[in-house]
Amino acid sequence: MQYLSNSRKIARALKPLALFEADVRFASHVVDSTQWQNHRSTSVPVSPGMNTKPTQSHMTGLMMLRSSFSSEAKHVEDPTEAVKELHGKILDSVNVKRSMPPNAWLWSLIENCQKEDDISFLFDALQNLRRFRLSNLRIHDNFNCNLCRQVAKTCVRVGAINHGKRALWKHNVHGLTPSVASAHHLLTYALENKNANLMDEVMKLLKANDLPLQPGTADLVFRICHETGSWDLLAKYSKKFCKAGVKLRKTTFDVWMEFAAKRGDTESLWKVDKLRSETYTQHTLSAAFSCAKGFLLEHKPEEAAAVIQIICQAYPDEKKSALEAEFKKLVNEWPADVVKHQNEEDKKEVAASLKSDIPAMVKALVNSGLRVSVDLDELNKNEALLS
């Protein structure tokens, strides 16, 4: 009986300490063992006859402890004032008042993000909100897709790319649902900054998190490869898109064929054109000129002229300026690109061939009755074609 009585006294003495420790679960992160031991060593010892209600010092200590627990914002020194204020209101609501804050606060936090430090505060708020929804509201679903896309878009807008990549993980502590739309924001950033490495990372994240490839994804990937001169990456991912059964857009084929023509790779050019013909019967303007370039590389100026003549007849008069732009690129830009991609021993031969075949193509177009606005003097001045 004496033993039972002593056990009950000890249990009553430990209640306030247990209450105090339980509150810690609402903070962002558990502190390390050293910090926790230091905190406990400063607590007032509880004896059997002592008041078991939490004291003001307990509550003050708890508030200080909460402020030190922050997974994302812990080491951030310079958030904008608006973001800092909204972050504090959200955490106060879920961790102290234990009530769900208005949705407008989170949307306002997203809109006010101006730099990477702000994004750290945003992700910390998301983590706290997810924990509150799960533990208090029993909501197991992630945040809605629209909000998740907006988070990824905001990360890109402020240049917080590493945070943006985290939004593509299907298993995350922030309640974000990964989507191809979120990935497209990152790929658009990679295109604008001509960053093939980032594109490659995003594509690996899509695969790792079981996100499906889409036509828009292919369009962005092919354009990035073209802009960065990454032919090997384009060859790699073109196989993946075709294997996945993705229906490539006309613009995607345009980029693919233009890149092959720029490299002087007629074998790849005709393979891509055959693949294009299985989906689309007619050439676009860009695809037609790529085919013409292929014929020029094979020393067939008359066939090159025939392809261009067909597309010119199908083109409306109000879009003739686009034709002129393609002719200008063919004469002024393309020859230099082709020669640059050739082996040293082949450069002179290719340059001499283009220098004679391009005028022959123009002559054939004129003889067919087509008005061609091309300055062949520019071709003769092209340094890449000068021996």
Side-chain angles (χ1 to χ4, degrees):
M1 293 298 292
Q2 181 65 32
Y3 174 80
L4 181 61
S5 176
N6 290 339
S7 298
R8 288 173 177 171
K9 290 179 180 180
I10 293 173
R12 285 197 300 269
L14 291 177
K15 279 183 180 180
L17 182 58
L19 175 63
F20 176 72
E21 290 177 348
D23 266 338
V24 175
R25 72 185 185 277
F26 296 104
S28 297
H29 258 274
V30 177
V31 310
D32 56 49
S33 58
T34 302
Q35 183 178 354
W36 179 239
Q37 290 297 332
N38 289 341
H39 176 77
R40 288 188 62 179
S41 66
T42 59
S43 301
V44 178
V46 182
S47 59
M50 200 170 178
N51 184 6
T52 59
K53 293 182 179 180
T55 64
Q56 182 63 35
S57 61
H58 281 151
M59 298 309 296
T60 303
L62 178 58
M63 296 304 296
M64 292 176 65
L65 190 60
R66 281 174 179 160
S67 66
S68 68
F69 285 39
S70 182
S71 57
E72 289 293 332
K74 186 175 181 180
H75 302 295
V76 177
E77 297 179 354
D78 190 29
T80 57
E81 194 60 34
V83 166
K84 187 176 181 180
E85 180 181 349
L86 286 164
H87 172 268
K89 288 170 67 176
I90 291 173
L91 261 63
D92 182 67
S93 179
V94 297
N95 292 342
V96 180
K97 299 178 181 177
R98 299 182 185 177
S99 64
M100 192 66 184
N103 288 336
W105 288 3
L106 181 56
W107 282 102
S108 182
L109 177 57
I110 294 172
E111 293 171 1
N112 278 280
C113 286
Q114 302 295 329
K115 51 187 176 180
E116 190 159 6
D117 284 354
D118 296 340
I119 297 296
S120 294
F121 270 64
L122 168 61
F123 272 64
D124 185 65
L126 288 169
Q127 183 174 346
N128 276 268
L129 286 168
R130 178 187 177 277
R131 184 187 297 110
F132 181 81
R133 282 157 53 98
L134 184 62
S135 62
N136 288 60
L137 305 182
R138 300 295 185 268
I139 298 176
H140 295 265
D141 295 335
N142 285 337
F143 296 108
N144 68 69
C145 292
N146 187 33
L147 184 140
C148 298
R149 287 193 299 269
Q150 194 63 35
V151 168
K153 183 178 180 180
T154 302
C155 290
V156 170
R157 174 170 58 81
V158 304
I161 303 306
N162 286 332
H163 282 86
K165 287 187 287 188
R166 287 164 62 183
L168 299 183
W169 284 100
K170 60 183 176 182
H171 300 299
N172 63 83
V173 298
H174 305 101
L176 296 174
T177 302
S179 68
V180 176
S182 295
H184 285 181
H185 288 303
L186 289 165
L187 289 173
T188 301
Y189 178 90
L191 175 62
E192 293 171 352
N193 292 272
K194 298 184 178 181
N195 190 336
N197 290 331
L198 174 59
M199 178 211 75
D200 198 30
E201 290 178 20
V202 172
M203 292 301 293
K204 289 176 180 176
L205 284 171
L206 289 178
K207 180 180 179 180
N209 293 280
D210 302 320
L211 293 173
L213 300 176
Q214 295 184 358
T217 316
D219 204 48
L220 286 165
V221 168
F222 280 46
R223 287 166 64 191
I224 294 167
C225 291
H226 182 216
E227 290 295 322
T228 58
S230 306
W231 177 258
D232 291 341
L233 270 180
L234 190 148
K236 169 187 172 182
Y237 283 115
S238 62
K239 292 177 183 177
K240 292 183 181 295
F241 282 108
C242 293
K243 185 177 180 180
V246 177
K247 182 182 178 181
L248 301 181
R249 297 173 179 173
K250 291 181 179 180
T251 52
T252 307
F253 280 113
D254 288 349
V255 171
W256 197 356
M257 293 177 68
E258 183 180 349
F259 198 178
K262 184 182 289 187
R263 291 175 50 83
D265 187 350
T266 54
E267 181 181 357
S268 296
L269 175 62
W270 300 131
K271 285 182 179 179
V272 177
D273 188 51
K274 183 177 183 299
L275 185 63
R276 177 208 57 78
S277 66
E278 295 173 1
T279 308
Y280 305 103
T281 55
Q282 293 184 337
H283 285 102
T284 63
L285 181 63
S286 177
F289 268 83
S290 292
C291 288
K293 293 169 185 175
F295 284 124
L296 287 171
L297 289 167
E298 295 177 343
H299 316 297
K300 300 174 181 178
E302 289 79 13
E303 276 124 343
V307 171
I308 292 177
Q309 184 179 9
I310 292 172
I311 195 69
C312 286
Q313 290 173 347
Y315 235 64
D317 291 337
E318 59 268 20
K319 293 186 177 180
K320 294 298 183 184
S321 59
L323 284 169
E324 294 179 6
E326 288 292 340
F327 273 118
K328 188 175 180 180
K329 286 195 294 184
L330 188 149
V331 173
N332 298 347
E333 301 174 16
W334 175 67
D337 289 328
V338 173
V339 172
K340 181 179 67 175
H341 285 93
Q342 304 306 306
N343 297 324
E344 285 298 326
E345 58 269 21
D346 298 331
K347 285 185 176 181
K348 287 187 177 182
E349 181 183 348
V350 172
S353 173
L354 294 177
K355 196 170 182 179
S356 61
D357 288 341
I358 291 177
M361 180 197 70
V362 173
K363 183 178 179 181
L365 286 170
V366 173
N367 290 339
S368 68
L370 188 68
R371 293 179 60 186
V372 181
S373 178
V374 177
D375 186 1
L376 291 177
D377 290 337
E378 291 295 325
L379 181 68
N380 296 325
K381 296 176 184 177
N382 196 319
E383 294 183 0
L385 302 183
L386 297 177
S387 57

